[in-house]
Amino acid sequence: MKTSQQLERDGVVLLKGCMPDEALKDVRPQYDHLDQSLTRTEISKDQPLIVFWRHVIGSQKRIGHFSEFPALWNLITEYIVPKLRAVFPERTQRLQLLETIIFNKPAEISNTLNWHQDVAYFPLKPNNQLAVWIPFEMVTAERGAMVYALGSHKFGIRGSTDLHTRKVFDGEDREVIPDDPRTIGLDVQCMEMSPNDMLVHDGYTWHYSGPNVIKGYTRRGLSVRFITEEAKFDPRPGQGAAFTKQIAISPGDVVQGAPFPLL
Ligand SMILES: O=C(O)CCC(=O)C(=O)O
């Protein structure tokens, strides 16, 4: 089966060994340097943002910019986008950068990021997203690997919940993801990965990540999300993704401009 068909069937594909060592070589040290000094929390409306998110309850998201993290911009434009276009030509004719997040799970104190579907948090219509996820180091089940419910993207839009507690947001009236998707017959797969691997998932696919319980071991994962069709702003309750604060438009307007470049 072609990789692109696998994405249509499962809603997620693990591409083994597709990122050369040089792709990430400068990304890790630039991340660590910024992670130590970054204090910015305000969200700018004139450029794409990079969310620094520690999976520790009470930790506040911080905001980086590509001007201070050029190796990450290089990784996205020189490696990730060409790879996506080579493997999924049908899905990648239009790739618009929506948001970039680095999820950091410090050893022993990090928690679970519960089952969710990315697009449930996006105020977009149509709401078609393709996301990549790349670890900066090896990830195993004990080190917070990503876990997916295969085929769950075919169930359509679900409700958004608090990612740490699973509490349903006020005003949310959409059906939520079950506590265990296996109870409705879906296969669940834990994606153990090396740093040369890349996951690609559909925005509708359900996924979660457990805590990193290995002492002395960091777990950093990069997620880059792209919208694949021109989308209009369509807000509703429970859509708290950081990029929504970059939108200075009215419902029905097209999401475009400097924070959301076409690549
Ligand atoms: O890195 C993680 O643990 C979570 C990532 C995730 O849920 C996402 O990229 O949507």
Side-chain angles (χ1 to χ4, degrees):
M1 177 185 283
K2 273 172 55 182
T3 312
S4 56
Q5 290 170 327
Q6 201 187 333
L7 180 63
E8 300 313 316
R9 184 192 64 188
D10 294 340
V12 58
V13 173
L14 173 54
L15 300 174
K16 297 291 292 176
C18 75
M19 282 290 125
D21 288 340
E22 72 262 21
L24 278 143
K25 184 171 64 65
D26 297 331
V27 173
R28 294 186 198 90
Q30 279 185 24
Y31 170 80
D32 287 338
H33 181 73
L34 261 176
D35 187 41
Q36 281 178 15
S37 55
L38 192 66
T39 54
R40 186 187 302 112
T41 54
E42 61 279 1
I43 290 176
S44 70
K45 290 190 163 55
D46 58 0
Q47 57 190 307
L49 50 77
I50 308 164
V51 179
F52 284 60
W53 184 346
R54 274 164 57 89
H55 286 188
V56 178
I57 288 181
S59 177
Q60 200 181 3
K61 289 178 191 165
R62 292 167 296 151
I63 304 298
H65 296 150
F66 284 101
S67 54
E68 57 205 8
F69 200 164
L72 184 55
W73 186 251
N74 189 61
L75 174 65
I76 293 171
T77 55
E78 301 300 319
Y79 293 95
I80 294 176
V81 167
K83 178 55 72 180
L84 281 177
R85 290 220 154 96
V87 181
F88 308 102
E90 308 85 1
R91 291 281 292 263
T92 54
Q93 282 172 7
R94 184 180 187 282
L95 288 177
Q96 185 177 10
L97 183 62
L98 184 64
E99 62 176 6
T100 305
I101 306 177
I102 298 170
F103 296 92
N104 185 332
K105 287 181 183 283
E108 301 183 288
I109 55 167
S110 61
N111 59 353
T112 296
L113 201 76
N114 280 299
W115 282 112
H116 64 281
Q117 171 193 63
D118 294 343
V119 295
Y121 300 83
F122 296 169
L124 304 177
K125 196 174 180 178
N127 206 350
N128 291 320
Q129 177 224 231
L130 208 55
V132 305
W133 192 91
I134 297 175
F136 289 1
E137 42 265 317
M138 185 182 73
V139 282
T140 60
E142 299 75 28
R143 295 171 178 189
M146 299 284 283
V147 180
Y148 286 85
L150 304 185
S152 54
H153 60 307
K154 295 185 180 146
F155 287 69
I157 194 75
R158 291 288 142 146
S160 49
T161 52
D162 182 295
L163 289 167
H164 295 299
T165 63
R166 294 221 77 212
K167 185 175 177 300
V168 179
F169 287 127
D170 288 345
E172 179 57 84
D173 54 7
R174 301 172 295 188
E175 187 182 348
V176 297
I177 294 171
D179 289 340
D180 182 354
R182 287 173 298 194
T183 58
I184 58 162
L186 293 176
D187 285 335
V188 167
Q189 189 173 343
C190 176
M191 303 290 189
E192 301 205 322
M193 296 170 74
S194 79
N196 297 96
D197 301 341
M198 177 166 99
L199 276 168
V200 180
H201 72 242
D202 184 290
Y204 284 87
T205 311
W206 309 348
H207 54 282
Y208 84 92
S209 62
N212 164 24
V213 297
I214 305 293
K215 191 171 181 175
Y217 183 85
T218 311
R219 189 292 233 165
R220 298 160 295 177
L222 164 71
S223 174
V224 189
R225 294 119 189 277
F226 302 94
I227 41 179
T228 55
E229 277 182 274
E230 184 174 273
K232 292 187 172 145
F233 184 43
D234 182 32
R236 51 168 292 125
Q239 290 166 328
F243 79 87
T244 59
K245 302 184 182 67
Q246 292 183 287
I247 298 177
I249 56 175
S250 308
D253 287 352
V254 172
V255 173
Q256 59 190 352
F260 311 109
L262 283 165
L263 297 176

